[in-house]
Amino acid sequence: MLDYCKSLSSDIVLLQENKVAYKEALLLRKEWALDVSCSEAFGKVSGSATEATIVVIPKEGKDHSDPRNFRPNSLVIMETKIFAKILTKGLEQYISSLINPSQTGFVKAQDIGQHVILPATFTGSPRYMHEKTQDAMTYVRHYGRPDLFITFTCNPEWQEIKNQLFPKQKTCDRHDIVARVFNLKVKTLMKLLTQQGIFGSAKAYVFTIEWQKRGLPHVHILLWLEPKINADDDDLIISAELPDPINDPKLFLIVKKNMIHGPCGEHNILSPCMKNGICTKKYPRPLINETETGVNGYPIYRRRNTEHGGHTVTMTVRGQEVTVNNQWVVPYSPLLCRTFNAHINIEYCQYVKAIKHICKYINKGWDQATAAIENKHNEIDTYLNGRYISTSEAVWRILEFHIHERHPTVTHLAVHLEIGQRVYFNDKNILHVAQNPTHTTLTAFFQLCATDNFAKTLLYQEVPQYYTWSKSSFKWQKRGQQVLGHPGVKKDSALGRMYTIHPNQSECSHLRILLQHVRGPTGFDTLLTVWDN
């Protein structure tokens, strides 16, 4: 696609220099997203992380300088501008080359810095997913273990989807409808979990949208509740049994269709979950009369046999009828399954041992294709070679639906040595940047502690609960609960997280440890002071 675009260079208009045209083109993109499901001239969309421009090919015979001529039936390539991150050390190297070119050799500004990276600001990149994992662990540090782990999968048989199909169309033909309907379903589910509190008051949540290889989206949700769920209450929320087909026939049919694993094993040795003759999902599960405490972070849910009140169902597997009991039921919420008529797996998080695995699992990223990579130091090339996007995900991105959400807000706090903050510079502003380095959250925290008595009582990561970060300084919160004994001070639900530092960076790593224990430092020297010495 990139080669094709280059061949049309005579028809390409670059909008990077024209901010007005840039904004109007984005508005037209939103208009296109609204019409994408019914447009007969639906164009192709492609992106390349190696480019730093937005390229639009307008209609033939139209004025290329007028952004109003960029219509939805044109080929549109919307690309995220990628900035290589340059360290202050590179700035010093560049200045040294200007002062003593004979000793160090002349260094071009564009050649200074780290290897080419794909930053966390690029949605879906490995650094983006790692950052979301660390944010989820921030909730664990502040609120403890999550209470519920929920996986909600799109059902292609929903009537909301089928009612919008044209004659002779199938669900797989209309990824735009699937995306819109599932997005609304996720919003409804989150409203039930958070605003209406069907399982209790929600203190925090994290969810991530992913796509299966066949194209259907699903969402992973972590939910923190107040008060926390007790192990004795598992059976009131979660069930791993077939419902009574007489008393609740509707739920029985939903569970039969959506919440039965396989059956695999001897019933279907070719099932995708089978590896070396064993089910990787550990089915069939043992039958048990009462829910017990698990050994790997999850409880062993009640699964009664027919003699103790359990039920069975007959299913067709590879042309043969098989009788299935509670051993094959995936844990589910009767309330949610009845409401959404879909596969909704719900698990109770009991031990901390499973928490880190879950936080990594929901942010593991999407499936990747195996390919040879020529430059191992270029993260953009690595991402492009290893990543593929299904048509369903492509439509989701075009419609600008969220793939990750969380609450409350997590403010990222910089950690760096003195005169070690990251800066961005070019040949024109090099001296100005060297003499006036930008403020970071860390240097602003030092200034805040020097002028604010209340800030002197806080740790670095506690500051976002009382102050908001605004470009170069911290300001008082305008919302939240009043803090007793401190008139005018309000506490919000926002949390702070310092960036992780590898132990190999010894000085910076130990600085991070000091920031976790020293309250109200006014500078780097204060952090190194013990008992006024």
Side-chain angles (χ1 to χ4, degrees), residues 126-328:
R127 291 175 183 267
Y128 172 90
M129 305 309 294
H130 176 73
E131 186 174 274
K132 300 308 178 185
T133 302
Q134 295 297 322
D135 290 346
M137 293 303 296
T138 300
Y139 295 141
V140 176
R141 172 175 59 85
H142 191 80
Y143 298 114
R145 61 169 176 81
D147 292 88
L148 296 176
F149 176 39
I150 303 173
T151 300
F152 175 28
T153 304
C154 177
N155 185 358
E157 301 298 322
W158 277 330
Q159 286 300 317
E160 293 91 339
I161 296 177
K162 289 193 169 184
N163 291 341
Q164 300 300 321
L165 298 178
F166 293 129
K168 299 182 180 181
Q169 275 191 335
K170 298 180 180 179
T171 302
C172 58
D173 299 325
R174 297 299 299 276
H175 295 296
D176 56 313
I177 296 177
V178 173
R180 293 181 190 276
V181 171
F182 186 66
N183 182 53
L184 293 175
K185 295 280 187 180
V186 171
K187 289 182 178 180
T188 302
L189 174 60
M190 295 309 301
K191 183 177 180 180
L192 291 174
L193 296 175
T194 57
Q195 297 182 21
Q196 299 185 13
I198 58 175
F199 297 136
S201 177
K203 296 185 297 185
Y205 66 84
V206 177
F207 77 73
T208 298
I209 306 290
E210 294 182 357
W211 285 264
Q212 300 171 343
K213 290 183 179 179
R214 57 179 177 169
L216 288 177
H218 61 274
V219 58
H220 295 300
I221 306 170
L222 280 179
L223 192 65
W224 284 261
L225 300 175
E226 186 179 18
K228 287 191 168 294
I229 299 176
N230 296 322
D232 298 336
D233 299 331
D234 285 353
D235 294 334
L236 301 177
I237 299 176
I238 304 172
S239 175
E241 297 182 315
L242 288 164
D244 192 327
I246 299 177
N247 296 332
D248 199 344
K250 179 180 178 181
L251 181 61
F252 180 82
L253 293 176
I254 292 174
V255 173
K256 175 185 176 181
K257 187 173 183 179
N258 299 293
M259 302 308 301
I260 301 297
H261 175 81
C264 57
E266 60 181 9
H267 303 298
N268 185 10
I269 195 66
L270 299 178
S271 177
C273 64
M274 297 297 294
K275 186 176 182 180
N276 299 326
I278 301 176
C279 176
T280 56
K281 308 300 181 182
K282 301 180 181 179
Y283 283 89
R285 301 294 176 92
L287 293 172
I288 187 173
N289 292 330
E290 297 293 338
T291 301
E292 294 182 357
T293 301
V295 296
N296 293 318
Y298 298 110
I300 302 175
Y301 301 105
R302 181 180 66 186
R303 299 173 186 270
R304 294 172 291 184
N305 56 27
T306 54
E307 298 178 356
H308 294 85
H311 302 281
T312 60
V313 63
T314 301
M315 301 182 65
T316 301
V317 181
R318 299 183 68 83
Q320 298 181 353
E321 291 189 348
V322 177
T323 300
V324 175
N325 59 11
N326 290 331
Q327 289 182 290
W328 301 95

Side-chain angles (χ1 to χ4, degrees), residues 79 111 130 197 211 304 319 361 391 426:
E79 299 171 355
D111 296 334
H130 176 73
W211 285 264
R304 294 172 291 184
Y361 181 81
T391 51
N426 53 38

